[in-house]
Amino acid sequence: MTAGGRIRVLLVDDDALVRTGLRLMLGGAPDLEVVGDTADGVDVADAVTRLRPDVVLMDVRMPLLDGIAATRGIRSRAGHRPVVIVLTTFDADATVVEALRAGAAGFLLKHTPPERIVDAVRRAAAGEPVLSPSVARTLIERVAGGGGPTEDRRQQARKRFALLTEREREVARAVAAGLSNADIAARLYLSVGTVKAYVSSALARLELTNRIQLALLTHDAED
């Protein structure tokens, strides 16, 4: 963030009108600062190095390098790694799921109301999940409805899932069901703080970046 505490945002979209609209929308929030924009994923690595954004709003489809590959590049780079929110036109688009697997914190539809986009940027910068429990649940259901994971991915997921402690697996299953931390705490008779600790330890043990990836891996392991 800037010295004044503002959240630095990078816009990545091949549609100039979308970039302009997002810049105007986010520029109206006193705690947000759009530090730059680019029209293609191929330019993201350089922009992240130069501008050091806290959050990247990333389009999925772009001419040279798509948002999935660009997101994967951000999450695997050394040094500064901003949070990525994927922007998409279709919430059922299978490429969105792949972007989440690549490390995006969540996704937003391009016609999402301005106040919700601003709120999502703030929450992502604070390390909170961008997807609401209901949206996360819908996403997992759509993944399940897409024919399920391949046998190789299922076996790999089961091996990784087995690395978790029994309590971490219980929490991971609840995350995959789309439950909030408060709901998980009530179900498992834990405090919210303890639930957060279990989520964090599961992510660290599995080398994942966010709870959406944890939900997807849990689904693959128990499909």
Side-chain angles (χ1 to χ4, degrees):
M1 297 187 185
T2 62
R6 288 196 291 175
I7 299 166
R8 299 170 61 84
V9 183
L10 173 67
L11 309 177
V12 184
D13 198 297
D14 63 340
D15 189 328
L17 289 177
V18 171
R19 297 199 307 274
T20 298
L22 288 170
R23 183 178 285 274
L24 290 172
M25 180 193 311
L26 300 175
D31 57 334
L32 305 184
E33 178 185 4
V34 177
V35 294
D37 61 69
T38 182
D40 199 280
V42 73
D43 301 316
V44 169
D46 177 65
V48 168
T49 299
R50 288 186 297 103
L51 303 172
R52 299 185 65 80
D54 301 301
V55 178
V56 177
L57 289 180
M58 179 84 73
D59 188 21
V60 172
R61 292 187 176 90
M62 290 175 285
L64 300 178
L65 187 70
D66 64 48
I68 297 171
T71 297
R72 189 176 294 115
I74 286 177
R75 299 313 303 169
S76 63
R77 62 182 273 133
H80 183 65
R81 291 189 294 177
V83 175
V84 178
I85 300 175
V86 170
L87 292 171
T88 181
T89 305
F90 305 104
D91 62 348
D93 196 328
T95 57
V96 173
V97 177
E98 293 307 311
L100 295 173
R101 292 189 188 280
F107 75 90
L108 294 173
L109 296 177
K110 289 185 179 180
H111 62 257
T112 298
E115 64 275 10
R116 290 186 59 190
I117 292 181
V118 170
D119 180 62
V121 170
R122 289 171 177 148
R123 288 191 289 117
E128 299 175 15
V130 170
L131 299 181
S132 67
S134 62
V135 174
R137 185 161 48 248
T138 299
L139 174 63
I140 299 304
E141 289 170 354
R142 283 176 178 162
V143 175
T150 63
E151 185 59 32
D152 180 64
R153 195 169 75 198
R154 183 183 293 111
Q155 291 300 325
Q156 291 298 319
R158 286 174 179 169
K159 289 179 181 178
R160 296 181 70 192
F161 195 67
L163 296 175
L164 300 179
T165 66
E166 180 55 38
R167 186 59 106 177
E168 286 170 343
R169 288 196 289 270
E170 288 178 335
V171 171
R173 293 185 187 106
V175 169
L179 300 183
S180 67
N181 287 341
D183 291 335
I184 296 172
R187 173 182 286 191
L188 299 181
Y189 304 102
L190 301 169
S191 70
V192 172
T194 300
V195 170
K196 290 180 179 178
Y198 277 123
V199 171
S200 295
S201 63
L203 292 177
R205 200 183 303 275
L206 297 174
E207 298 182 340
L208 300 174
T209 26
N210 57 61
R211 64 193 290 137
I212 302 303
Q213 286 185 316
L214 178 61
L216 292 171
L217 185 142
T218 301
H219 170 267
D220 287 351
E222 306 218 311
D223 180 69

